[in-house]
Amino acid sequence: MSSSFRVYKFGGASVKNAAAVRNVVDIIQNHATEPMVVVVSAMGKTTNALELVIKAVREQDESAIHSSIQTVIDFHRIIGEQLFSEGHEAWKTIEDYFINLRSDAVLHEGETYGELYDRLICYGEMISTFIIHSVLQDSGLNSTWHNTHELVVTDAHHRRATVDFDKTAERVGEHIAPEGVHVVQGFVGATAEGKPTTLGREGSDYTAAVMAYVLDAVEVCIWKDVPGVLTGDPKVFEDVIQLETISFREAIELAYYGASVIHPKTIQPLQRKEIPLWVRSFVSPETPGTCIQKGEWLSPMSPCFIKKDNQVLITLATRDLAFIVEDHLSKIYQIFHQAGVPVNTMQNSAVSSSFCINNDPILVPGLLDELKKHFSVKHNEDVALYTIRHYDQRAVSSIRSKGEVYLEQVTRHTHQMVIKES
Ligand code: ASP
Ligand code: MG
């Protein structure tokens, strides 16, 4: 049964300075008529800045530790100064975070890199959520700040932890009352014993999905600097339009082919409980955005374009020009699997098979050497893989005209082309 919770997620760009924070608080204020969980990332590029702190700690470079922490402190102080007067009570907590970051920035005995990383990287989210929470309170909202270490329970796989949904649901049930605004850190979690973990870079969207899942929320809204999900990257494709709705299934398909829509990991828990996911613009919050939800395909029904650059097309033939049969294919796939190289698309003819893969400079040379032990191998570098979902003739022609087509793969809903661009 669904609750009346809404889950809103604000990423680093939406809280990159004081004006942005005020805008976020306005959005929350305009929508917080029902209980709400607000998931916030670190401000601006703070996570990258903290990665420099962690690097310095690991290298035990005292002067780099000092200066990299000072950068993080200065950045937040400038934002704080524009939001809080000198005697404001928020300063005490904010300055405590700065002090704790300094004293935590030492390598503990026997500590792994992952443990160190997860212990320090969360400062970005801790400080950002505390600032947002304080401004929400100043605006008269009934806001509660939570430490996500106590809410999101994970395994001990540092930097890429897996969420324990049952334990997380229990914790959230204990801590989050169905009223007011609850501000939580994205991206971070902890083991059941309280050891800090994280969910992987850009993991805050996933935190929002986890929260929505355990709360049976009515909707999730990810506020971004784009108006919604488009039918292609406007920097690459002409005439793209904004989608109104996308089905969960279609969103996962688009992500699989390389669209940077929303990570499938974020969609999956929402799909299971059929909780709609909105992508909306914090720049123009009055526009409707795009909704990923239960349903058919997408609307308006139109071709969606995805491009993967820097691909290699490998063509394999048997040495004696014998037919390629299951036996060869299973050998070939085994080699790809062992090299850790996923196949983006493939095509088979009687005596040859072609495989399109990412040109990973570390993995591809070894892969080619291994394939050459068993097959005659040709390969073309610097090709691009274009995928059109829900193609029509016009869409196909527009892509075909981009260069020489080396491979074309057509199924009912998807048209792929490997192209050497002219
Ligand atoms: N702050 C984290 C990152 O930059 C998590 C997130 O933004 O989703 O990766
Ligand atoms: Mg981010």
Side-chain angles (χ1 to χ4, degrees), residues 177-236:
E179 60 192 20
V181 177
H182 301 267
V183 183
V184 307
Q185 302 84 52
F187 171 56
V188 310
T191 63
E193 298 72 40
K195 217 166 169 210
T197 55
T198 50
L199 310 178
R201 285 299 307 262
E202 303 303 322
S204 296
D205 288 359
Y206 187 54
T207 307
V210 169
M211 285 293 170
Y213 183 92
V214 301
L215 285 165
D216 282 309
V218 275
E219 66 174 27
V220 177
C221 187
I222 296 183
W223 295 85
K224 287 184 173 264
D225 55 3
V226 291
V229 180
L230 307 177
T231 52
D233 179 348
K235 289 192 232 71
V236 181

Side-chain angles (χ1 to χ4, degrees), residues 212-217 248 268-276:
Y213 183 92
V214 301
L215 285 165
D216 282 309
F248 289 121
Q268 275 143 7
L270 301 176
Q271 179 182 29
R272 262 184 277 149
K273 287 206 173 168
E274 297 181 359
I275 300 170

Side-chain angles (χ1 to χ4, degrees), residues 146-165:
H146 296 269
N147 182 344
T148 313
H149 289 142
E150 290 163 10
L151 297 177
V152 174
V153 182
T154 71
D155 65 6
H157 193 151
H158 287 284
R159 304 187 62 201
R160 215 162 264 288
T162 300
V163 172
D164 182 326
F165 279 80

